[in-house]
Amino acid sequence: MKKLFFIITALSALLASSCSDNAFQEMLFRTTDDPFQDVAAADSLTLEHTVFLKWKEDEGCDTFRLMRSYDQPDLSFTCIYEGTATEYTDESLPYGYKYVYRLDKTRGTKYFEGKSYAYGYSSDCRRDEWEDNDTEPKAVLLEHDLKCNLPCVQYITDSKEDLDCDWFYVKLPPRRTACIIVKQDGITQEKPTNLMIQVSGETSSPIVHGIEAAIKNTTDETKTFYFKIFPKTTGLFGTELITDIGYTVSLVRIINYTN
């Protein structure tokens, strides 16, 4: 009984004297769980030739090891960061290269290899100012000319494709038609583009450079119409597996609806 009392008293005194010692408290109250599986979030479009990576805190982890491989048939990973931070900037990357990232973790002498990958690439472009409009709830109101881009990347690893799409909306009075024109960068004549347009709830159709696409309000009430512009995958990737489709979308006029 005296021995138990002594142990309790000693622990209490140790805790009291170490209440300001963060390292001791972390060691005493730290989780006993192994590190959990995690995948870094990769952002390749905030700054040219740079990939920003972030991941979650993990109480069960001593150190993070961010591994990187070129996107190739046989992945070969090297460690580009080791430490306790939860973010890393992979910068000064040569144009046109694609990368696969894996987040490994350590706890003591145990090593935990990541099971899934993050993907990034080095590009000359940034996301346009209308992002994030990749989903219908985040659609942008189209009232004037909007300059946009659609970054598209095809990876060898897991045959992954990263294809952007842009959502917009127009408000139309009863029985009116919105005339939309899309012009793709690099095309100067009325030719097919690498783009498609789809009004929500309707079938998609290819976009011809400079030719009007019609969005029709056939009802007797003012309505909001949502539509998206997205890449036409046929012939999109040749030898280059990174492409950025720049385009301008314009609401050129609203006219009376006729059958």
Side-chain angles (χ1 to χ4, degrees):
M1 189 69 177
K2 289 182 179 181
K3 186 177 180 181
L4 178 60
F5 175 78
F6 174 78
I7 293 173
I8 294 174
T9 303
L11 284 174
S12 299
L14 185 59
L15 285 172
S17 64
S18 306
C19 60
S20 61
D21 188 343
N22 292 331
F24 177 80
Q25 292 184 38
E26 289 178 4
M27 180 176 63
L28 184 63
F29 298 109
R30 184 184 181 188
T31 179
T32 58
D33 294 336
D34 284 340
F36 57 81
Q37 283 289 323
D38 194 10
V39 181
D43 172 11
S44 304
L45 293 171
T46 293
L47 186 64
E48 295 86 349
H49 311 298
T50 304
V51 180
F52 295 91
L53 298 118
K54 292 185 178 181
W55 52 91
K56 300 182 183 69
E57 294 273 6
D58 188 345
E59 293 183 2
C61 175
D62 288 337
T63 59
F64 300 103
R65 287 175 57 88
L66 183 63
M67 313 297 290
R68 185 186 71 187
S69 171
Y70 290 109
D71 178 44
Q72 56 192 23
D74 297 314
L75 297 178
S76 178
F77 286 99
T78 57
C79 182
I80 58 173
Y81 170 76
E82 182 174 9
T84 58
T86 56
E87 60 184 62
Y88 178 78
T89 301
D90 200 6
E91 55 192 341
S92 301
L93 301 171
Y95 170 77
Y97 280 82
K98 298 174 285 126
Y99 303 95
V100 179
Y101 298 91
R102 191 184 75 208
L103 184 63
D104 296 351
K105 301 180 181 182
T106 67
R107 181 182 176 110
T109 59
K110 297 176 67 176
Y111 195 90
F112 301 85
E113 185 176 296
K115 302 299 183 184
S116 301
Y117 303 134
Y119 301 84
Y121 58 97
S122 176
S123 172
D124 282 335
C125 78
R126 301 185 186 188
R127 60 175 52 85
D128 62 57
E129 63 181 298
W130 313 112
E131 293 287 350
D132 174 25
N133 63 332
D134 295 345
T135 58
E136 185 173 330
K138 295 183 178 180
V140 172
L141 174 63
L142 179 62
E143 295 180 302
H144 54 88
D145 299 351
L146 300 182
K147 178 63 179 173
C148 311
N149 59 41
L150 291 177
C152 305
V153 187
Q154 187 178 64
Y155 295 90
I156 296 172
T157 306
D158 295 334
S159 301
K160 177 179 171 57
E161 288 187 341
D162 188 358
L163 306 178
D164 193 14
C165 74
D166 292 333
W167 278 91
F168 307 94
Y169 69 95
V170 292
K171 294 182 178 180
L172 285 177
R175 305 192 67 78
R176 292 293 186 271
T177 297
C179 299
I180 309 295
I181 283 183
V182 178
K183 294 182 178 180
Q184 181 176 329
D185 295 355
I187 299 178
T188 58
Q189 303 177 26
E190 295 177 351
K191 293 183 178 180
T193 68
N194 296 110
L195 300 168
M196 304 285 289
I197 187 170
Q198 182 176 19
V199 178
S200 183
E202 300 181 10
T203 57
S204 62
S205 58
I207 294 174
V208 178
H209 178 88
I211 298 297
E212 291 182 354
I215 299 178
K216 302 175 181 179
N217 183 2
T218 62
T219 72
D220 294 320
E221 58 180 305
T222 298
K223 294 189 67 175
T224 299
F225 291 84
Y226 294 86
F227 67 96
K228 67 176 178 177
I229 295 175
F230 60 99
K232 179 170 56 179
T233 55
T234 303
L236 179 61
F237 297 108
T239 56
E240 295 289 334
L241 299 182
I242 299 176
T243 185
D244 174 40
I245 306 174
Y247 71 94
T248 300
V249 56
S250 307
L251 174 61
V252 291
R253 57 192 176 125
I254 296 178
I255 60 177
N256 291 331
Y257 165 72
T258 55
N259 293 328

